[in-house]
Amino acid sequence: ACMLVLPSELTHRQASVSLRMLLQAQKAQDGPQVVVDAGALATFDSSALAVLLECRRAAVFEGKGFAVKALPPGLASLAGLYGVQELLPALG
């Protein structure tokens, strides 16, 4: 699987740069599934969700599976609030 790692801080300020780097890394790797490791994420806002959803969209577009590893509880509840938690399946 293609493993992408989120930075420790992902707010509106870092979102576009982070997304560009993640999508580049995603394109460069083969594998039937894209896994985003959110374990390092400590500071985030709803922009982090937008980045994850965009990575998912790119994976689906390429016919790949998508999963998130170690989604922080705060971000998981934010996903629930926005009604997108089913789009961010946990790994495992």
Side-chain angles (χ1 to χ4, degrees), residues 1-4 22-35 59 62-65:
C2 165
M3 179 71 81
L4 305 173
L22 288 164
L23 290 177
Q24 261 175 343
Q26 199 168 316
K27 272 198 181 71
Q29 296 187 39
D30 281 334
Q33 188 180 35
V34 174
V35 177
E62 291 172 7
K64 296 177 179 178

Side-chain angles (χ1 to χ4, degrees), residues 2 5 7-8 15 20-22 26 28 30 33 37 42 45 52 56 62 65-68 77:
C2 165
V5 180
S8 61
R20 197 162 60 238
M21 282 164 51
L22 288 164
Q26 199 168 316
D30 281 334
Q33 188 180 35
D37 185 349
D45 61 16
L52 283 171
R56 177 192 178 274
E62 291 172 7
F66 181 82
V68 181
S77 53

